[in-house]
Amino acid sequence: MVDRASRALYQRFLPEGPSHAFVWKYAQAVGGRRPRHFHAEPELNLVVAGSATFAIGERTVHAARGDLLAFPSGQDHALLDASPDLYLYAVGLEARHSAHVLGGAEVTAPLHVRLDVSELKSVEDRACAIVDRADAEQLAAELWQRAHWLGQRASARASHRTHVLTRRALQLMQTSPELGLEALAGTLRTQPSEVSRHFHRDVGTTLVRHRTRLRLLELIRLVDTGEHDLMTAASSAGFGSYSQCHRAFRAELGCAPSGFFAKGMRERMQCAYEG
């Protein structure tokens, strides 16, 4: 069991610039492992060689060649251990671009499936052709769409699937971060305890904490536009007051919002790597 209190850094997935999609590669032999982190961009990891153990919220999962994992926006994750020959591709899209690519109403849900040999090759070949290329945004979006389709098909064959309440709760929180647990349960026409139970099992963290992260990510996005100050961004992101926002920001990221935006803390978080 992963420590519930472990703090995750905010680390943007996409490189600096106007790109809405990108494909990274990671090789254990080269190193450069990120610490536990979360970001606004949903992410896919495809293991093409070796094996690895990941922390996903409070859970740990083992993945090997052919495994496809999906991390929704705001889900903290980290590579804990890996075989010397681990090689994987990480694919990420800006959240709104992902929704567009996947058909508007869809949202990336937690996923851990094994692709068959032909499925793996089709995705691996596409990823290999565009990895680390800033000029391949359209191809990365096509890879994202293909990988999601294969992942959903494989998930339909699996014995454990993300519960429909989790998927619908993620969708609602992505579009309406102001909704609380009671409101979510009311919209989903079920009991709050049912939503919480399935969500915690599927995502690896509590719904309340995940919702707070999504609100913080929305706050960061709004401030980055240059059109909102911290007070108005906190309100628009779903916080009841700025003091509530301030407490949540410090609890999740270890610093005050003003320090994050004005004193270089954000850049230091972004540049943090483990051995």
Side-chain angles (χ1 to χ4, degrees):
M1 176 78 69
V2 178
D3 181 4
R4 288 172 181 247
S6 57
R7 180 176 289 155
L9 298 180
Y10 166 77
Q11 293 189 324
R12 175 182 164 92
F13 182 93
L14 297 176
E16 289 296 328
S19 177
H20 297 295
F22 201 73
V23 181
W24 300 92
K25 64 178 182 291
Y26 175 83
Q28 179 69 6
V30 177
R33 184 185 305 177
R34 293 237 182 230
R36 179 185 290 269
H37 63 283
F38 68 96
H39 38 68
E41 301 91 344
E43 178 182 348
L44 294 175
N45 279 188
L46 178 68
V47 180
V48 298
S51 61
T53 301
F54 292 88
I56 305 175
E58 298 169 19
R59 298 184 293 120
T60 58
V61 301
H62 185 73
R65 174 173 166 79
D67 279 6
L68 179 69
L69 296 92
F71 310 127
S73 300
Q75 184 176 53
D76 64 285
H77 51 280
L79 176 60
L80 297 179
D81 195 20
S83 64
D85 60 338
L86 174 68
Y87 194 97
L88 64 81
Y89 292 105
V91 187
L93 262 69
E94 189 271 334
R96 298 186 181 199
H97 190 50
S98 171
H100 172 73
V101 168
L102 296 180
E106 296 189 46
V107 64
T108 298
L111 184 71
H112 182 194
V113 295
R114 174 69 56 85
L115 303 183
D116 66 29
V117 174
S118 62
E119 292 171 338
L120 172 61
K121 180 170 174 51
S122 72
V123 180
E124 182 180 0
D125 287 348
R126 293 185 187 206
C128 182
I130 60 177
V131 66
D132 293 338
R133 284 178 51 187
D135 63 340
E137 184 173 306
Q138 179 59 39
L139 294 175
E142 292 172 4
L143 169 62
W144 183 258
Q145 187 178 50
R146 173 69 175 171
H148 269 83
W149 182 78
L150 289 173
Q152 290 170 358
R153 190 171 73 170
S155 180
R157 304 191 299 260
S159 57
H160 297 288
R161 294 190 290 272
T162 303
H163 197 276
V164 63
L165 288 178
T166 300
R167 295 198 304 271
R168 294 181 64 193
L170 284 167
Q171 180 67 51
L172 285 168
M173 285 191 289
Q174 195 71 48
T175 56
S176 304
E178 74 282 356
L179 293 178
L181 177 57
E182 295 285 341
L184 283 169
T187 302
L188 297 174
R189 300 184 180 181
T190 188
Q191 295 299 313
S193 60
E194 281 294 289
V195 181
S196 293
R197 179 169 62 88
H198 291 295
F199 193 94
H200 199 173
R201 184 202 67 182
D202 293 335
V203 180
T205 191
T206 66
L207 185 148
V208 171
R209 187 173 190 184
H210 189 81
R211 183 192 63 198
T212 296
R213 284 201 182 134
L214 292 179
R215 289 176 175 177
L216 291 173
L217 290 169
E218 178 65 3
L219 169 80
I220 292 169
R221 187 191 71 82
L222 290 171
V223 173
D224 282 348
T225 66
E227 299 174 2
H228 296 76
D229 59 24
L230 284 172
M231 296 286 284
T232 57
S235 177
S236 297
F239 289 103
S241 65
Y242 182 71
S243 60
Q244 180 193 35
C245 170
H246 191 280
R247 289 193 300 271
F249 208 103
R250 185 172 288 281
E252 284 295 328
L253 295 177
C255 64
S258 57
F260 177 84
F261 288 106
K263 296 182 180 179
M265 179 67 72
R266 179 180 190 171
E267 289 74 17
R268 290 193 292 274
M269 288 183 187
Q270 187 69 27
C271 294
Y273 283 89
E274 295 183 351

